[in-house]
């Protein structure tokens, strides 16, 4: 293989050697299969195509300075996929099967795991879809679980930096009792217009308020929100936010650093009071927020006065990355080493 330009990989799809698959038929999960095809042959009446029976996950494997490969919070991703399955009536894949599949696909594509020095990683994308044919609105009787991997570049190419966000009031991502807490493709289809509008206006990403009252902070694009003030890490409590595993990890690290952690509704005006804020998720860990504009209301909440990431965001970011790459001890048992 031609040596890849590891440090300049985009966050996009690149073909690797193998993917792995498990079929669900006759009310049971089958054997783990290895596949080198990138396509999925499917019945045209499959429920994933018509009625959105589709769930996905996203996690990463990192190569350490010691050469070992570490996968971050594998069991948490398995549990979240199970929760999504309950949410849209798909059969749950047991954690052990999920783990077996992730380890297998990472080992099979070992040559695509970027070297430590590049700051890049291997993105792991599990997907579960209803493949059984159905015309009436009903859950499928057959499913396919697939995992592919693709190497992805370091998120911050020019160094850890801040971005501007914009509140979009015109579109909602998820309803208060809808599917916002589940990692399903439907939420993403619902977010495309808001995301495009934010980009067209020159912002990094769209920011959502709660769909019912338009008073409280919900999520930013496909990332959770947190704010920092008075030595406290504050993140929204809402019934339409996807429970981010990065956010959960940052809450623990903030506590470890002696900070208080609050999960509660955050009114929009409170944005003015934060010393720092960030968007968090697997892709970037933390994307520090420069400011959040509410264009329709003519307001702008400037969070970073000098346009640079604050000290708490920086500390949390460095700490989490150090655990992922094995530079610091994994005291919470978050990492699975690929043997
Ligand atoms: C995946 C996702 C996140 C981030 O979750 P992580 O587990 O931290 O990667 C946040 N919001 C939405 C809508 C998501 O789909």
């Amino acid at each position: 293989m031609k040596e890849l330009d590891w440090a300049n990989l985009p966050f996009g799809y690149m073909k690797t050697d193998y993917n792995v698959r498990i079929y669900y038929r006759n009310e049971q999960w089958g054997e783990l299969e290895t596949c080198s095809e990138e396509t999925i042959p499917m019945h045209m009446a499959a429920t994933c195509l018509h009625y959105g029976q589709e769930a996905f996950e996203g996690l990463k494997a990192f190569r350490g300075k010691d050469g070992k490969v570490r996968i971050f919070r594998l069991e948490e991703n398995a549990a979240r996929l199970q929760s999504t399955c309950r949410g849209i009536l798909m059969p749950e894949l047991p954690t052990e099967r999920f783990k077996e599949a992730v380890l297998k696909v990472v080992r099979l594509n070992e040559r695509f795991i970027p070297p430590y020095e590049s700051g890049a990683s291997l993105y792991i994308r599990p997907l579960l879809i209803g493949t059984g044919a159905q015309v009436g609105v009903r859950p499928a009787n057959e499913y396919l679980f697939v995992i592919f991997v693709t190497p992805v570049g370091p998120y911050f190419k020019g160094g850890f930096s801040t971005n501007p966000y914009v509140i979009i009031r015109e579109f909602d991502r998820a309803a208060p009792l809808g599917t916002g807490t589940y990692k399903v493709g439907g939420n993403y289809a619902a977010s495309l217009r808001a995301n495009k509008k934010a980009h067209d206006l020159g912002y990094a990403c769209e920011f959502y308020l709660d769909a019912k009252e338009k008073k409280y902070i919900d999520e930013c694009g496909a990332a959770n929100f947190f704010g920092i003030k008075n030595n406290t890490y504050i993140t929204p409590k809402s019934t339409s936010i996807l429970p981010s595993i990065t956010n959960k990890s940052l809450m623990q690290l903030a506590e470890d650093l002696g900070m208080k952690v609050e999960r509660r509704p955050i009114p929009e005006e409170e944005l003015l009071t934060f010393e720092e804020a960030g968007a968090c998720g697997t892709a970037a860990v933390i994307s520090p927020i420069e400011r959040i504009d509410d264009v329709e209301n003519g307001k702008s909440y400037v969070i970073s006065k000098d346009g640079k990431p604050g000290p708490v965001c920086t500390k949390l970011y460095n700490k989490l990355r150090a655990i992922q790459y094995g530079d610091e001890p994994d005291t919470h048992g978050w990492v699975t080493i690929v043997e």
Side-chain angles (χ1 to χ4, degrees):
M1 178 170 80
K2 207 170 112 257
E3 190 58 28
L4 286 167
D5 184 6
W6 297 113
N8 292 305
L9 291 170
F11 191 89
Y13 178 81
M14 175 190 292
K15 186 181 189 310
T16 57
D17 291 335
Y18 300 102
N19 58 83
V20 295
R21 306 181 181 201
I22 308 177
Y23 289 90
Y24 181 90
R25 293 184 184 119
N26 303 319
E27 289 169 35
Q28 56 188 354
W29 290 105
E31 293 298 309
L32 180 66
E33 297 174 23
T34 297
C35 186
S36 52
E37 289 294 322
E38 293 173 281
T39 53
I40 300 172
M42 194 171 6
H43 195 289
M44 61 188 170
T47 62
C48 66
L49 298 177
H50 298 260
Y51 304 129
Q53 263 201 316
E54 185 272 354
F56 70 101
E57 271 302 327
L59 63 163
K60 281 178 171 178
F62 305 86
R63 195 188 295 279
K65 212 184 279 177
D66 56 8
K68 287 185 184 161
V69 175
R70 293 169 172 80
I71 303 174
F72 190 65
R73 305 204 77 171
L74 182 46
E75 292 86 358
E76 285 289 330
N77 285 91
R80 187 169 66 187
L81 179 60
Q82 289 155 5
S83 159
T84 300
C85 287
R86 292 190 292 275
I88 60 167
L89 299 184
M90 302 201 289
E92 292 175 44
L93 183 72
T95 302
E96 275 316 303
R97 300 301 311 277
F98 182 90
K99 194 166 173 177
E100 170 198 2
V102 170
L103 287 171
K104 176 100 179 181
V105 74
V106 170
R107 283 191 199 109
L108 285 170
N109 294 291
E110 209 269 331
R111 69 189 184 102
F112 292 95
I113 309 172
Y116 172 78
E117 299 74 29
S118 66
S121 55
L122 187 72
Y123 185 71
I124 305 166
R125 170 52 65 86
L127 184 71
L128 175 51
I129 55 176
T131 50
Q134 206 76 269
V135 175
V137 180
R138 233 171 295 128
N141 48 17
E142 293 190 354
Y143 293 84
L144 169 61
F145 176 69
V146 187
I147 311 181
F148 67 78
V149 297
T150 192
V152 290
Y155 194 86
F156 296 103
K157 290 196 178 65
F160 189 50
S161 60
T162 63
N163 277 307
Y165 289 74
V166 63
I167 291 173
I168 300 287
R169 292 168 171 274
E170 200 180 340
F171 310 113
D172 294 317
R173 186 190 81 93
L177 299 176
T179 53
T181 54
Y182 306 123
K183 212 167 173 73
V184 295
N187 296 335
Y188 280 77
S191 76
L192 291 174
R193 282 222 282 176
N195 184 261
K196 180 176 186 313
K197 188 173 173 190
H199 285 152
D200 288 349
L201 291 169
Y203 293 91
C205 208
E206 78 279 19
F207 205 94
Y208 297 100
L209 299 178
D210 76 283
K212 192 175 176 186
E213 297 187 76
K214 299 276 183 190
K215 266 173 72 176
Y216 301 98
I217 302 305
D218 230 53
E219 281 200 79
C220 5
N224 278 187
F225 172 84
F226 68 87
I228 306 285
K229 65 176 173 187
N230 309 326
N231 200 35
T232 309
Y233 181 105
I234 307 165
T235 192
K237 190 177 167 73
S238 148
T239 56
S240 50
I241 290 178
L242 196 281
S244 153
I245 295 165
T246 311
N247 196 7
K248 190 172 178 182
S249 309
L250 293 172
M251 285 188 247
Q252 179 65 55
L253 295 180
E255 214 174 281
D256 295 352
L257 289 171
M259 299 176 66
K260 272 197 300 194
V261 173
E262 291 177 8
R263 248 189 92 218
R264 58 168 173 80
I266 303 177
E268 180 184 337
E269 313 76 63
E270 192 175 344
L271 289 175
L272 266 183
T273 67
F274 290 120
E275 296 153 14
E276 298 179 38
C280 61
T282 295
V285 177
I286 293 175
S287 180
I289 297 176
E290 181 197 337
R291 63 172 207 280
I292 300 168
D293 292 347
D294 186 346
V295 179
E296 285 154 81
N297 276 3
K299 291 194 182 136
S300 179
Y301 305 95
V302 176
I303 291 172
S304 170
K305 308 284 182 282
D306 61 1
K308 295 201 185 91
V312 177
C313 281
T314 307
K315 203 186 290 181
L316 288 170
Y317 173 79
N318 288 335
K319 183 87 192 167
L320 191 60
R321 296 252 307 172
I323 295 171
Q324 291 175 329
Y325 282 94
D327 293 333
E328 283 194 34
D330 172 30
T331 55
H332 296 290
W334 288 344
V335 159
T336 302
I337 296 184
V338 181
E339 307 284 4

